[in-house]
Amino acid sequence: MAYTVNYSVIPLTHADGHVGDLIARIVDRVEQSGLDYRLTAMGTQIEGSIDEIFDVIRECERIVEADSDRFYTVLTMDYQKNATGNLAHKVESVEEHLGRSVTK
């Protein structure tokens, strides 16, 4: 597992204008993948192999397609050879430099 991604999808058309139910289905699918992930207010961070990550994102995009005629996807990726646990390690590094916890 060498990839850490931040995945955000923004439905531009949705039946009632509220997207919480749609995002919940996406997060549920990410969770079912078994990959390590973190939900944030602005996206979902996922860690795994590139194939695993793209497979789950492809499935999430299909979930959105079923309820939205148009949506915008943002994906940023960080590759680090032979790295695992970066979702936790990156935060721990900042906390170590600060000398305190930043998670709530």
Side-chain angles (χ1 to χ4, degrees):
M1 289 195 274
Y3 283 88
T4 305
V5 304
N6 190 64
Y7 169 60
S8 300
V9 61
I10 302 103
L12 300 175
T13 59
H14 189 57
D16 62 4
H18 299 282
V19 297
D21 62 325
L22 185 56
I23 301 304
R25 286 185 272 150
I26 291 168
V27 171
D28 187 49
R29 178 58 199 96
V30 172
E31 187 169 300
Q32 289 174 16
S33 74
L35 296 174
D36 193 12
Y37 78 96
R38 305 288 187 278
L39 176 65
T40 72
M42 299 299 292
T44 303
Q45 299 168 344
I46 309 168
E47 184 175 319
S49 75
I50 192 69
D51 291 333
E52 293 171 317
I53 291 170
F54 279 155
D55 285 348
V56 74
I57 288 174
R58 196 172 3 262
E59 292 174 21
C60 291
E61 296 285 292
R62 289 185 184 125
I63 291 169
V64 180
E65 285 177 5
D67 281 348
S68 185
D69 293 333
R70 185 176 181 193
F71 56 91
Y72 183 78
T73 300
V74 178
L75 181 67
T76 54
M77 301 171 39
D78 178 22
Y79 172 79
Q80 188 173 358
K81 190 173 186 174
N82 299 322
T84 60
N86 276 336
L87 289 179
H89 295 307
K90 289 180 179 192
V91 174
E92 290 166 357
S93 174
V94 171
E95 290 176 335
E96 186 176 310
H97 287 358
L98 286 172
R100 62 180 169 85
S101 175
V102 295
T103 56
K104 293 185 180 189

Coordinates of all heavy atoms in Angstrom, one line a residue, residues 95 101-104:
E95 N 1.5 16.3 15.1 CA 1.3 16.4 16.6 C 2.6 16.3 17.3 O 2.8 17.0 18.3 CB 0.4 15.2 17.0 CG -1.0 15.4 16.5 CD -2.0 14.3 16.8 OE1 -1.5 13.2 17.0 OE2 -3.2 14.5 16.9
S101 N -1.9 17.1 20.8 CA -2.8 16.4 19.9 C -3.6 17.5 19.1 O -3.9 18.6 19.7 CB -3.8 15.6 20.7 OG -4.8 15.1 19.8
V102 N -3.9 17.2 17.9 CA -4.7 18.2 17.1 C -6.0 17.6 16.7 O -6.9 18.2 16.1 CB -4.0 18.6 15.8 CG1 -2.7 19.4 16.1 CG2 -3.7 17.5 14.9
T103 N -6.2 16.3 17.0 CA -7.5 15.6 16.7 C -8.5 15.9 17.8 O -8.2 16.0 18.9 CB -7.3 14.1 16.5 OG1 -6.7 13.6 17.7 CG2 -6.4 13.8 15.3
K104 N -9.7 16.0 17.3 CA -10.9 16.2 18.3 C -11.8 15.1 18.2 O -12.0 14.5 17.3 CB -11.6 17.5 17.9 CG -10.7 18.8 18.2 CD -11.5 20.0 17.9 CE -10.7 21.2 18.1 NZ -11.4 22.4 18.1

